[in-house]
């Protein structure tokens, strides 16, 4: 337990160093591919959020989901790729192939659906190759390009605001 605190400290230090060198990139075209990074400890209605994206015209094959769970039991099965704190190394890298593939995928938009900063989630968000990142106001402002001020429990408010502004920006 104590080692996790030390690991988090060093990981957050590396993330803050990387965030100071972030270069903003603008997307010029519409959003076709979407990645969603969930924290399952605070939000369990993943299907509702995915369904709202489908209603906006995003194809089901163009949506990839990665779920963070604090602890994973030995024989537990999941409907989406899942990772935990154990998958994060001391050098802020992952050995889990599903996490590596998610990070390497070039999304038009990444939805960081967590409102409590946890080092594994911050590392995935920071290292992601997504062109446009969306998240909550309670997370570091340098991590996301677009910030919505609500809580993770209000997924309808989050999605309605996101869709409204994406339509204004002519991205949907």
């Amino acid at each position: 337990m104590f080692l996790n605190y030390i690991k988090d400290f060093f990981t957050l230090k590396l993330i803050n160093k990387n965030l100071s060198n972030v270069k903003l990139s603008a997307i010029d075209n519409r959003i076709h591919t979407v990645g969603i990074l969930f924290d399952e400890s605070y939000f369990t209605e993943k299907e509702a959020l995915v369904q709202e994206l489908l209603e906006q015209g995003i194809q089901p094959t163009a949506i990839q989901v990665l779920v963070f769970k604090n602890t994973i039991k030995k024989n537990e099965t999941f409907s989406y790729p899942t990772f935990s704190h154990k998958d994060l190394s001391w050098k802020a890298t992952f050995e889990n192939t599903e996490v590596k593939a998610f990070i390497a995928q070039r999304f038009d938009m990444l939805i960081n659906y967590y409102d409590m900063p946890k080092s594994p989630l911050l590392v995935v968000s920071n290292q992601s190759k997504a062109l446009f990142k969306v998240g909550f106001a309670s997370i570091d402002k340098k991590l996301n390009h677009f910030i919505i001020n609500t809580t993770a429990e209000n997924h309808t408010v989050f999605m309605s605001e996101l869709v409204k502004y994406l339509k204004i920006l002519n991205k949907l």
Side-chain angles (χ1 to χ4, degrees), residues 24-32 106-109 131-132 166 169-172:
L24 295 176
S25 63
I27 58 170
D28 297 330
N29 52 0
R30 294 181 158 295
I31 293 174
H32 298 291
R106 192 166 194 89
F107 298 112
D108 293 330
M109 179 174 65
L131 299 174
F132 185 64
L166 288 176
L169 295 171
N170 199 21
K171 301 298 178 196
L172 277 181

PDB file of all heavy atoms in Angstrom, residues 24-32 106-109 131-132 166 169-172:
ATOM      1  N   LEU A  24      -0.514  21.876 -28.413  1.00  0.00           N
ATOM      2  CA  LEU A  24      -1.904  21.740 -28.825  1.00  0.00           C
ATOM      3  C   LEU A  24      -1.977  21.456 -30.314  1.00  0.00           C
ATOM      4  O   LEU A  24      -1.253  22.050 -31.102  1.00  0.00           O
ATOM      5  CB  LEU A  24      -2.686  23.007 -28.494  1.00  0.00           C
ATOM      6  CG  LEU A  24      -2.828  23.319 -27.016  1.00  0.00           C
ATOM      7  CD1 LEU A  24      -3.543  24.648 -26.837  1.00  0.00           C
ATOM      8  CD2 LEU A  24      -3.576  22.214 -26.312  1.00  0.00           C
ATOM      9  N   SER A  25      -2.866  20.551 -30.667  1.00  0.00           N
ATOM     10  CA  SER A  25      -3.095  20.258 -32.073  1.00  0.00           C
ATOM     11  C   SER A  25      -4.571  20.456 -32.362  1.00  0.00           C
ATOM     12  O   SER A  25      -5.430  20.125 -31.555  1.00  0.00           O
ATOM     13  CB  SER A  25      -2.685  18.821 -32.395  1.00  0.00           C
ATOM     14  OG  SER A  25      -3.489  17.920 -31.683  1.00  0.00           O
ATOM     15  N   ALA A  26      -4.847  21.000 -33.502  1.00  0.00           N
ATOM     16  CA  ALA A  26      -6.232  21.257 -33.875  1.00  0.00           C
ATOM     17  C   ALA A  26      -6.697  20.192 -34.855  1.00  0.00           C
ATOM     18  O   ALA A  26      -5.941  19.777 -35.731  1.00  0.00           O
ATOM     19  CB  ALA A  26      -6.359  22.630 -34.507  1.00  0.00           C
ATOM     20  N   ILE A  27      -7.934  19.751 -34.696  1.00  0.00           N
ATOM     21  CA  ILE A  27      -8.495  18.822 -35.670  1.00  0.00           C
ATOM     22  C   ILE A  27      -9.325  19.632 -36.650  1.00  0.00           C
ATOM     23  O   ILE A  27     -10.079  20.512 -36.271  1.00  0.00           O
ATOM     24  CB  ILE A  27      -9.320  17.707 -35.004  1.00  0.00           C
ATOM     25  CG1 ILE A  27     -10.466  18.268 -34.169  1.00  0.00           C
ATOM     26  CG2 ILE A  27      -8.471  16.814 -34.166  1.00  0.00           C
ATOM     27  CD1 ILE A  27     -11.431  17.233 -33.691  1.00  0.00           C
ATOM     28  N   ASP A  28      -9.118  19.351 -37.892  1.00  0.00           N
ATOM     29  CA  ASP A  28      -9.781  20.112 -38.933  1.00  0.00           C
ATOM     30  C   ASP A  28     -11.009  19.411 -39.487  1.00  0.00           C
ATOM     31  O   ASP A  28     -11.815  20.017 -40.165  1.00  0.00           O
ATOM     32  CB  ASP A  28      -8.797  20.388 -40.079  1.00  0.00           C
ATOM     33  CG  ASP A  28      -7.634  21.241 -39.618  1.00  0.00           C
ATOM     34  OD1 ASP A  28      -7.832  22.058 -38.702  1.00  0.00           O
ATOM     35  OD2 ASP A  28      -6.531  21.079 -40.166  1.00  0.00           O
ATOM     36  N   ASN A  29     -11.135  18.128 -39.232  1.00  0.00           N
ATOM     37  CA  ASN A  29     -12.234  17.383 -39.825  1.00  0.00           C
ATOM     38  C   ASN A  29     -13.214  16.897 -38.768  1.00  0.00           C
ATOM     39  O   ASN A  29     -13.043  17.134 -37.581  1.00  0.00           O
ATOM     40  CB  ASN A  29     -11.670  16.204 -40.623  1.00  0.00           C
ATOM     41  CG  ASN A  29     -10.721  15.363 -39.789  1.00  0.00           C
ATOM     42  OD1 ASN A  29     -10.478  15.643 -38.631  1.00  0.00           O
ATOM     43  ND2 ASN A  29     -10.180  14.341 -40.388  1.00  0.00           N
ATOM     44  N   ARG A  30     -14.219  16.219 -39.212  1.00  0.00           N
ATOM     45  CA  ARG A  30     -15.245  15.700 -38.316  1.00  0.00           C
ATOM     46  C   ARG A  30     -14.709  14.542 -37.480  1.00  0.00           C
ATOM     47  O   ARG A  30     -13.716  13.912 -37.820  1.00  0.00           O
ATOM     48  CB  ARG A  30     -16.447  15.227 -39.132  1.00  0.00           C
ATOM     49  CG  ARG A  30     -17.160  16.361 -39.827  1.00  0.00           C
ATOM     50  CD  ARG A  30     -18.331  15.780 -40.582  1.00  0.00           C
ATOM     51  NE  ARG A  30     -19.396  16.669 -40.911  1.00  0.00           N
ATOM     52  CZ  ARG A  30     -20.219  17.298 -40.078  1.00  0.00           C
ATOM     53  NH1 ARG A  30     -20.067  17.172 -38.805  1.00  0.00           N
ATOM     54  NH2 ARG A  30     -21.183  18.051 -40.516  1.00  0.00           N
ATOM     55  N   ILE A  31     -15.416  14.270 -36.398  1.00  0.00           N
ATOM     56  CA  ILE A  31     -15.024  13.190 -35.492  1.00  0.00           C
ATOM     57  C   ILE A  31     -15.643  11.890 -35.980  1.00  0.00           C
ATOM     58  O   ILE A  31     -16.859  11.780 -36.114  1.00  0.00           O
ATOM     59  CB  ILE A  31     -15.458  13.518 -34.062  1.00  0.00           C
ATOM     60  CG1 ILE A  31     -14.651  14.702 -33.568  1.00  0.00           C
ATOM     61  CG2 ILE A  31     -15.290  12.317 -33.154  1.00  0.00           C
ATOM     62  CD1 ILE A  31     -15.058  15.233 -32.243  1.00  0.00           C
ATOM     63  N   HIS A  32     -14.769  10.908 -36.258  1.00  0.00           N
ATOM     64  CA  HIS A  32     -15.223   9.598 -36.707  1.00  0.00           C
ATOM     65  C   HIS A  32     -14.868   8.509 -35.705  1.00  0.00           C
ATOM     66  O   HIS A  32     -15.647   7.573 -35.516  1.00  0.00           O
ATOM     67  CB  HIS A  32     -14.623   9.254 -38.063  1.00  0.00           C
ATOM     68  CG  HIS A  32     -15.018  10.208 -39.153  1.00  0.00           C
ATOM     69  ND1 HIS A  32     -16.290  10.281 -39.650  1.00  0.00           N
ATOM     70  CD2 HIS A  32     -14.300  11.142 -39.812  1.00  0.00           C
ATOM     71  CE1 HIS A  32     -16.347  11.207 -40.586  1.00  0.00           C
ATOM     72  NE2 HIS A  32     -15.147  11.758 -40.688  1.00  0.00           N
ATOM     73  N   ARG A 106      -4.909   6.151 -32.786  1.00  0.00           N
ATOM     74  CA  ARG A 106      -5.074   7.580 -33.089  1.00  0.00           C
ATOM     75  C   ARG A 106      -6.568   7.875 -33.207  1.00  0.00           C
ATOM     76  O   ARG A 106      -7.162   7.649 -34.248  1.00  0.00           O
ATOM     77  CB  ARG A 106      -4.339   7.940 -34.359  1.00  0.00           C
ATOM     78  CG  ARG A 106      -4.216   9.404 -34.570  1.00  0.00           C
ATOM     79  CD  ARG A 106      -3.187   9.680 -35.665  1.00  0.00           C
ATOM     80  NE  ARG A 106      -2.814  11.062 -35.677  1.00  0.00           N
ATOM     81  CZ  ARG A 106      -1.832  11.580 -34.966  1.00  0.00           C
ATOM     82  NH1 ARG A 106      -1.135  10.816 -34.182  1.00  0.00           N
ATOM     83  NH2 ARG A 106      -1.558  12.859 -35.038  1.00  0.00           N
ATOM     84  N   PHE A 107      -7.153   8.391 -32.147  1.00  0.00           N
ATOM     85  CA  PHE A 107      -8.569   8.732 -32.116  1.00  0.00           C
ATOM     86  C   PHE A 107      -8.762  10.172 -32.569  1.00  0.00           C
ATOM     87  O   PHE A 107      -7.913  11.023 -32.328  1.00  0.00           O
ATOM     88  CB  PHE A 107      -9.137   8.592 -30.691  1.00  0.00           C
ATOM     89  CG  PHE A 107      -9.065   7.207 -30.134  1.00  0.00           C
ATOM     90  CD1 PHE A 107      -8.221   6.923 -29.080  1.00  0.00           C
ATOM     91  CD2 PHE A 107      -9.846   6.188 -30.654  1.00  0.00           C
ATOM     92  CE1 PHE A 107      -8.150   5.661 -28.546  1.00  0.00           C
ATOM     93  CE2 PHE A 107      -9.779   4.919 -30.130  1.00  0.00           C
ATOM     94  CZ  PHE A 107      -8.937   4.641 -29.085  1.00  0.00           C
ATOM     95  N   ASP A 108      -9.928  10.426 -33.167  1.00  0.00           N
ATOM     96  CA  ASP A 108     -10.287  11.813 -33.441  1.00  0.00           C
ATOM     97  C   ASP A 108     -10.646  12.525 -32.138  1.00  0.00           C
ATOM     98  O   ASP A 108     -10.402  13.713 -31.986  1.00  0.00           O
ATOM     99  CB  ASP A 108     -11.472  11.885 -34.404  1.00  0.00           C
ATOM    100  CG  ASP A 108     -11.111  11.368 -35.789  1.00  0.00           C
ATOM    101  OD1 ASP A 108      -9.938  11.483 -36.184  1.00  0.00           O
ATOM    102  OD2 ASP A 108     -12.011  10.845 -36.467  1.00  0.00           O
ATOM    103  N   MET A 109     -11.247  11.766 -31.195  1.00  0.00           N
ATOM    104  CA  MET A 109     -11.606  12.342 -29.901  1.00  0.00           C
ATOM    105  C   MET A 109     -11.433  11.286 -28.808  1.00  0.00           C
ATOM    106  O   MET A 109     -11.820  10.137 -28.983  1.00  0.00           O
ATOM    107  CB  MET A 109     -13.058  12.826 -29.909  1.00  0.00           C
ATOM    108  CG  MET A 109     -13.497  13.421 -28.584  1.00  0.00           C
ATOM    109  SD  MET A 109     -15.148  14.162 -28.617  1.00  0.00           S
ATOM    110  CE  MET A 109     -16.192  12.761 -28.922  1.00  0.00           C
ATOM    111  N   LEU A 131      -6.348  13.166 -31.092  1.00  0.00           N
ATOM    112  CA  LEU A 131      -6.198  14.525 -31.602  1.00  0.00           C
ATOM    113  C   LEU A 131      -6.937  15.555 -30.753  1.00  0.00           C
ATOM    114  O   LEU A 131      -6.535  16.709 -30.682  1.00  0.00           O
ATOM    115  CB  LEU A 131      -6.717  14.589 -33.038  1.00  0.00           C
ATOM    116  CG  LEU A 131      -6.002  13.692 -34.039  1.00  0.00           C
ATOM    117  CD1 LEU A 131      -6.698  13.747 -35.385  1.00  0.00           C
ATOM    118  CD2 LEU A 131      -4.547  14.091 -34.158  1.00  0.00           C
ATOM    119  N   PHE A 132      -8.040  15.140 -30.132  1.00  0.00           N
ATOM    120  CA  PHE A 132      -8.885  16.059 -29.353  1.00  0.00           C
ATOM    121  C   PHE A 132      -9.300  15.322 -28.087  1.00  0.00           C
ATOM    122  O   PHE A 132      -9.881  14.242 -28.152  1.00  0.00           O
ATOM    123  CB  PHE A 132     -10.108  16.436 -30.201  1.00  0.00           C
ATOM    124  CG  PHE A 132     -11.002  17.461 -29.578  1.00  0.00           C
ATOM    125  CD1 PHE A 132     -10.566  18.752 -29.334  1.00  0.00           C
ATOM    126  CD2 PHE A 132     -12.310  17.135 -29.244  1.00  0.00           C
ATOM    127  CE1 PHE A 132     -11.405  19.698 -28.770  1.00  0.00           C
ATOM    128  CE2 PHE A 132     -13.160  18.075 -28.685  1.00  0.00           C
ATOM    129  CZ  PHE A 132     -12.709  19.356 -28.448  1.00  0.00           C
ATOM    130  N   LEU A 166     -19.758  20.314 -29.865  1.00  0.00           N
ATOM    131  CA  LEU A 166     -19.210  19.694 -31.061  1.00  0.00           C
ATOM    132  C   LEU A 166     -19.981  20.078 -32.302  1.00  0.00           C
ATOM    133  O   LEU A 166     -19.415  20.242 -33.383  1.00  0.00           O
ATOM    134  CB  LEU A 166     -19.152  18.165 -30.905  1.00  0.00           C
ATOM    135  CG  LEU A 166     -18.101  17.624 -29.949  1.00  0.00           C
ATOM    136  CD1 LEU A 166     -18.221  16.120 -29.825  1.00  0.00           C
ATOM    137  CD2 LEU A 166     -16.710  18.018 -30.375  1.00  0.00           C
ATOM    138  N   LEU A 169     -18.911  23.579 -33.205  1.00  0.00           N
ATOM    139  CA  LEU A 169     -17.593  23.532 -33.841  1.00  0.00           C
ATOM    140  C   LEU A 169     -17.607  22.769 -35.162  1.00  0.00           C
ATOM    141  O   LEU A 169     -16.574  22.640 -35.808  1.00  0.00           O
ATOM    142  CB  LEU A 169     -16.581  22.883 -32.894  1.00  0.00           C
ATOM    143  CG  LEU A 169     -16.281  23.647 -31.603  1.00  0.00           C
ATOM    144  CD1 LEU A 169     -15.451  22.801 -30.668  1.00  0.00           C
ATOM    145  CD2 LEU A 169     -15.607  24.962 -31.917  1.00  0.00           C
ATOM    146  N   ASN A 170     -18.782  22.256 -35.541  1.00  0.00           N
ATOM    147  CA  ASN A 170     -18.979  21.514 -36.786  1.00  0.00           C
ATOM    148  C   ASN A 170     -18.109  20.254 -36.826  1.00  0.00           C
ATOM    149  O   ASN A 170     -17.490  19.938 -37.841  1.00  0.00           O
ATOM    150  CB  ASN A 170     -18.704  22.396 -37.996  1.00  0.00           C
ATOM    151  CG  ASN A 170     -19.330  21.824 -39.251  1.00  0.00           C
ATOM    152  OD1 ASN A 170     -20.256  21.025 -39.178  1.00  0.00           O
ATOM    153  ND2 ASN A 170     -18.807  22.233 -40.387  1.00  0.00           N
ATOM    154  N   LYS A 171     -18.080  19.532 -35.711  1.00  0.00           N
ATOM    155  CA  LYS A 171     -17.302  18.297 -35.623  1.00  0.00           C
ATOM    156  C   LYS A 171     -18.182  17.060 -35.672  1.00  0.00           C
ATOM    157  O   LYS A 171     -17.699  15.967 -35.852  1.00  0.00           O
ATOM    158  CB  LYS A 171     -16.481  18.266 -34.324  1.00  0.00           C
ATOM    159  CG  LYS A 171     -15.510  19.408 -34.188  1.00  0.00           C
ATOM    160  CD  LYS A 171     -14.493  19.387 -35.273  1.00  0.00           C
ATOM    161  CE  LYS A 171     -13.551  20.562 -35.160  1.00  0.00           C
ATOM    162  NZ  LYS A 171     -12.812  20.791 -36.371  1.00  0.00           N
ATOM    163  N   LEU A 172     -19.481  17.220 -35.477  1.00  0.00           N
ATOM    164  CA  LEU A 172     -20.410  16.073 -35.561  1.00  0.00           C
ATOM    165  C   LEU A 172     -21.314  16.219 -36.757  1.00  0.00           C
ATOM    166  O   LEU A 172     -21.686  17.263 -37.176  1.00  0.00           O
ATOM    167  CB  LEU A 172     -21.278  15.992 -34.303  1.00  0.00           C
ATOM    168  CG  LEU A 172     -20.667  15.307 -33.117  1.00  0.00           C
ATOM    169  CD1 LEU A 172     -21.632  15.284 -31.949  1.00  0.00           C
ATOM    170  CD2 LEU A 172     -20.218  13.910 -33.435  1.00  0.00           C
TER     171      LEU A 172
END
